[in-house]
Amino acid sequence: MKKNVIVGQSGGPTAVINASLAGVYKTAKDMGADTIYGMRYGIQGLLEKKIVDLGEKIRNDMDVELLKRTPASFLGSCRYKLPESSEDKAIYEKIFAILEELEITAFFYIGGNDSMDTIKKLSDYAQTVDSPIRFIGVPKTIDNDLEGTDHTPGYGSAAKYIATVTKELVRDGLIYEMQSVTFIEIMGRNAGWLTGAAVLAKSEDCEGPDLIYLPEVPFDVDVFLEKVKKLVVEKQSIVIAVSEGIKTADGRYVCELSAHSDKTDSFGHVQLSGTGKYLSDLIIEKLGCKSRAIELSTLQRCAGHLTSRVDITEAYQVGGTAVKAAFEGKTGQMVILKRVSQDPYICTTDLYDVHKVANLEKKVPRSWITEEGDYVTAEMKNYIEPLIQAELTPIMITGQPRHIIIDDLPDIK
């Protein structure tokens, strides 16, 4: 029996998502997989038979190293919500027919909450039709909101980028002898893990941000204005980190206070943008102070030049653990990271039932946010700090990072 495997990537990318792909590929190859297929554009691409033979592209150890250092999703991604098998059995029949045609024994999906939902549904369907194919989820998300795992690959590098940018903006705000307020809008719909990383800028050579607002605590516009009003009297430059998803007590997103948007993605999520801009305009209007908003946007997830070595190493490890688990007969599981020790930092991998992960969100503990809800505690800083340590230097060619690309690799017909 052939040991062919297939791997895909889904959802928003991270700076280290391809390190997990490299971990899957290298471990599967070392463990004797015959062919390692890649889904172009996730499960959606699989349905369209957009499949490549990764062995034709990743030819040597240098390609593996380049892959680990290449940001964004090498195979392409999708935001496709797989329906329940009871609602559309034909889709499942098509997926499994394609997998059987390719003689697949193991299926790996690198992604976040919605991707783990896909693994759950596929592994459940496999049991109902008595399919031997194993389905394993490989965690990935800069949002760090997956249940069951201490943290997610991708978060450490995003946190490193946010901390660095925050520190640089604090310096920039002091160049002129005038009052100014700078808002840094950071990704985070319902969980403030990324925004909390701005606290890392607070160090012996930097005072860090003055205020940090996470979506876990309701945002009061009037109380906020009073805080900034006091700070403007005391300080020359004020830097405020805000999650894009902060809400008022009545459940409205702050970014919707100026202009409501009904735009949603394929999973029904409201598209968020403009929180920093709204608050910045409010400061100008109410306090007459110079203000600006900086939206980090997708830079948080694709800044491959500033990855954390800890993060990229763990991303590679979870890919390898997924393959080992599948080859040992495991299915319906997600690989997790377990923090064994804080000082020195030691982390291992393990498995977690994907049914306990899918469609759940892990939020920042309320105890890690100050009582007033305008900053984070030392506990959160201590939790994040080990994840941003060390660097993996890009391979530079003509002054720029070299990446590996897949565009010239034809699909399998």
Side-chain angles (χ1 to χ4, degrees):
M1 182 178 177
K2 285 191 175 181
K3 287 199 295 185
N4 295 344
V5 304
I6 193 165
V7 58
Q9 298 168 308
S10 181
T14 78
V16 301
I17 186 173
N18 290 326
S20 291
L21 177 60
V24 169
Y25 176 81
K26 187 70 164 58
T27 307
K29 186 177 179 183
D30 290 347
M31 294 189 72
D34 294 298
T35 305
I36 305 162
Y37 293 107
M39 295 172 242
R40 297 286 273 129
Y41 313 110
I43 194 74
Q44 191 169 13
L46 178 67
L47 282 163
E48 298 169 6
K49 291 191 174 182
K50 293 180 177 177
I51 304 157
V52 294
D53 181 346
L54 288 176
E56 294 182 2
K57 185 62 181 181
I58 308 170
R59 301 184 182 93
N60 50 50
D61 288 344
M62 177 54 74
D63 283 346
V64 171
E65 288 302 314
L66 281 173
L67 185 59
K68 287 163 65 175
R69 291 166 169 79
T70 297
S73 303
F74 177 71
L75 288 169
S77 187
C78 70
R79 291 193 181 276
Y80 181 85
K81 188 170 182 64
L82 196 64
E84 296 289 344
S85 58
S86 58
E87 298 171 358
D88 194 343
K89 188 177 179 181
I91 283 183
Y92 288 82
E93 291 174 341
K94 183 175 182 179
I95 290 172
F96 276 75
I98 293 170
L99 297 179
E100 288 168 11
E101 181 183 343
L102 295 172
E103 299 182 85
I104 299 299
T105 59
F107 179 111
F108 307 102
Y109 214 32
I110 307 170
N113 284 307
D114 297 320
S115 303
M116 296 311 124
D117 178 62
T118 297
I119 286 291
K120 176 182 77 71
K121 289 172 178 174
L122 291 174
S123 61
D124 285 351
Y125 183 79
Q127 285 190 330
T128 65
V129 297
D130 200 26
S131 169
I133 303 172
R134 277 91 71 187
F135 295 86
I136 303 290
V138 182
K140 169 274 335 169
T141 175
I142 63 170
D143 295 315
N144 197 42
D145 59 355
L146 279 177
E147 283 284 346
T149 183
D150 179 80
H151 56 280
T152 53
Y155 174 63
S157 292
K160 189 181 185 81
Y161 177 81
I162 289 164
T164 302
V165 169
T166 301
K167 196 169 184 178
E168 291 170 343
L169 287 171
V170 169
R171 295 266 64 77
D172 185 82
L174 296 169
I175 61 174
Y176 297 115
E177 194 175 10
M178 62 184 296
Q179 302 292 153
S180 68
V181 180
T182 300
F183 289 89
I184 309 173
E185 182 178 326
I186 299 169
M187 285 180 174
R189 177 178 299 276
N190 299 315
W193 296 103
L194 286 169
T195 305
V199 73
L200 297 177
K202 189 173 184 178
S203 52
E204 61 182 20
D205 62 340
C206 181
E207 60 188 89
D210 297 281
L211 298 167
I212 300 175
Y213 289 100
L214 277 54
E216 282 81 357
V217 178
F219 184 83
D220 188 310
V221 175
D222 294 329
V223 172
F224 162 75
L225 282 172
E226 282 301 312
K227 287 183 184 293
V228 178
K229 189 175 181 180
K230 290 179 182 178
L231 283 169
V232 166
V233 175
E234 300 168 359
K235 300 188 63 182
Q236 172 185 332
S237 172
I238 299 158
V239 175
I240 303 171
V242 295
S243 288
E244 62 182 357
I246 55 173
K247 295 179 182 178
T248 56
D250 61 3
R252 287 182 298 165
Y253 287 110
V254 169
C255 66
E256 295 178 304
L257 297 180
S258 58
H260 182 71
S261 174
D262 292 324
K263 291 182 179 179
T264 60
D265 62 20
S266 58
F267 290 94
H269 303 150
V270 175
Q271 294 184 8
L272 305 178
S273 181
T275 301
K277 179 69 166 58
Y278 170 76
L279 293 175
S280 179
D281 290 345
L282 195 65
I283 292 298
I284 295 170
E285 177 191 346
K286 299 295 184 180
L287 304 184
C289 180
K290 178 188 174 183
S291 183
R292 61 178 173 173
I294 296 168
E295 189 174 336
L296 300 187
S297 189
T298 53
L299 290 169
Q300 295 159 90
R301 71 187 194 194
C302 69
H305 62 286
L306 200 60
T307 54
S308 151
R309 181 180 283 271
V310 167
D311 191 27
I312 209 165
T313 300
E314 292 178 345
Y316 185 85
Q317 288 172 341
V318 296
T321 299
V323 174
K324 292 172 185 174
F327 279 26
E328 290 170 1
K330 304 289 197 307
T331 190
Q333 303 287 309
M334 181 186 82
V335 180
I336 62 170
L337 291 165
K338 295 180 68 174
R339 190 175 309 210
V340 177
S341 171
Q342 173 70 14
D343 186 16
Y345 173 73
I346 300 172
C347 196
T348 61
T349 58
D350 205 344
L351 299 177
Y352 197 77
D353 185 350
V354 76
H355 296 81
K356 298 178 182 178
V357 178
N359 302 311
L360 297 175
E361 278 185 312
K362 181 180 72 176
K363 298 186 179 182
V364 175
R366 182 61 182 87
S367 61
W368 288 8
I369 306 170
T370 59
E371 187 176 343
E372 293 185 341
D374 58 4
Y375 218 79
V376 298
T377 66
E379 285 84 359
M380 185 164 194
K381 185 176 183 181
N382 293 338
Y383 164 82
I384 306 171
E385 212 155 33
L387 312 182
I388 72 163
Q389 298 307 308
E391 296 75 38
L392 188 67
T393 307
I395 296 171
M396 307 296 285
I397 305 293
T398 62
Q400 296 183 80
R402 172 58 61 95
H403 299 151
I404 187 170
I405 58 174
I406 199 172
D407 293 345
D408 59 343
L409 188 60
D411 294 343
I412 294 171
K413 302 300 182 184

